[in-house]
Amino acid sequence: MTTDIPELAAYALLNFFQNFDVLLLVMVRLLAFIMLVPVLAGATIPTMPRVMLAFSLAYMVFSAGVVGEITYFPTVPVYGQMILVELVAGLMMGFMVYMAFAIIYFAGQIIDYQIGFMMASLFDPISQIQVPVVGNLLFFTMMALFVVSGGLSTFIAAVVLSYEIAPVGQIFVLENNTLLLYAASMFSVYLRLGLQFALPIAGSLFIVNVMLGILVKAVPQMNVFVVGMPLKTLLGLSIMWFTMPVFAIYYIMIYEFAEEMLMAVVGGLRQ
């Protein structure tokens, strides 16, 4: 029995190096997805742990036999094209998930405009842009729910499942009209959910603006900026506090939307 262990180890090592090109293709899609998926994206997470996570997942996928034999013309341009296709596929899947959760930033932008926080913004290391204060707070709250509820593990498992639905070497991204339709539908839902999330606060503060306008007409001596800005900030934060229990419902809606778009992209990649 002891003589079989070195032989099995040698066989596994030989099989690893013989199929390293396939393993690299599997890893590229996973790494591209990890680089854009929320929680793992951005400069706050070191690059090496993400590379090691992608390599570990790729090796598990390869060892489980999910990826079969890949036949291609063994030249550098052909193999480079296959790597590029896998890279774009992983980036598209990660981008869809990130854009689904970026709805919170869109809603936060509307809320900040109504509350009066437009002048104050924070730098987002993921998108490399300035993001609203309220949107940033809500986004990190949603990311905490995303991790605690197991959503991150579920999405990584969905990408692993994509190798069965859209195998390596059998996907296409150029001139794919199906993916363009998914992107167009994503942006329409993006606007609808963002407005739906911001409507309770933005609508309430709009009524406050109308009341302040009527008050200015009734009392012209009153300085509306001195009274209105603190009032809108106080009311906006109070309404946001009372509507926080509904935040879990919005999280479920955005999570289901992200999952739906991810699986739609995976299905659209199949030739």
Side-chain angles (χ1 to χ4, degrees):
M1 186 67 181
T2 56
T3 57
D4 294 338
I5 296 178
E7 294 179 0
L8 291 175
Y11 175 77
L13 187 63
L14 180 62
N15 184 55
F16 172 80
F17 283 106
Q18 284 181 344
N19 298 277
F20 185 76
D21 56 338
V22 179
L23 179 64
L24 182 60
L25 290 174
V26 175
M27 177 182 169
V28 167
R29 185 189 302 185
L30 285 165
L31 182 60
F33 177 78
I34 290 173
M35 288 296 180
L36 283 183
V37 71
V39 179
L40 296 178
T44 55
I45 305 296
T47 303
M48 188 54 64
R50 290 183 289 182
V51 173
M52 294 304 297
L53 175 62
F55 179 80
S56 301
L57 293 172
Y59 186 74
M60 286 188 290
V61 171
F62 177 76
S63 302
V66 178
V67 181
E69 294 290 335
I70 301 176
T71 57
Y72 63 94
F73 194 69
T75 59
V76 174
V78 173
Y79 188 71
Q81 181 181 3
M82 295 179 67
I83 290 180
L84 182 61
V85 169
E86 292 295 326
L87 178 66
V88 173
L91 290 176
M92 290 183 64
M93 289 187 285
F95 178 75
M96 288 295 182
V97 177
Y98 175 75
M99 286 301 297
F101 284 96
I103 293 173
I104 297 300
Y105 283 146
F106 174 63
Q109 195 81 22
I110 300 175
I111 296 173
D112 277 5
Y113 180 79
Q114 294 293 330
I115 292 179
F117 287 170
M118 284 298 294
M119 296 301 294
S121 58
L122 300 173
F123 181 75
D124 180 27
I126 300 176
S127 57
Q128 302 292 316
I129 60 173
Q130 299 291 329
V131 295
V133 176
V134 175
N136 201 51
L137 173 63
L138 297 178
F139 182 81
F140 279 103
T141 304
M142 182 165 288
M143 289 301 98
L145 292 174
F146 186 54
V147 175
V148 172
S149 63
L152 181 61
S153 303
T154 303
F155 282 131
I156 292 178
V159 178
V160 173
L161 180 65
S162 70
Y163 291 100
E164 297 182 0
I165 302 175
V168 177
Q170 301 181 24
I171 61 176
F172 76 109
V173 293
L174 298 178
E175 298 181 0
N176 194 329
N177 295 328
T178 304
L179 296 179
L180 293 177
L181 292 176
Y182 288 150
S185 62
M186 182 199 71
F187 282 108
S188 64
V189 179
Y190 177 93
L191 295 174
R192 178 175 60 83
L193 290 178
L195 292 174
Q196 184 177 352
F197 187 85
L199 189 59
I201 301 176
S204 301
L205 294 180
F206 176 76
I207 297 176
V208 173
N209 287 330
V210 174
M211 294 176 61
L212 288 174
I214 297 174
L215 189 60
V216 168
K217 290 294 184 180
V219 186
Q221 295 82 7
M222 186 186 70
N223 192 338
V224 67
F225 293 102
V226 175
V227 178
M229 292 303 295
L231 179 62
K232 290 197 296 182
T233 301
L234 178 61
L235 288 177
L237 295 177
S238 300
I239 295 171
M240 190 168 63
W241 170 264
F242 285 112
T243 55
M244 281 304 289
V246 192
F247 189 77
I249 300 176
Y250 285 109
Y251 167 73
I252 294 174
M253 294 171 58
I254 293 176
Y255 177 85
E256 291 178 349
F257 171 59
E259 187 177 21
E260 178 184 353
M261 292 307 302
L262 175 60
M263 298 311 298
V265 170
V266 171
L269 290 172
R270 180 68 184 269
Q271 281 188 344

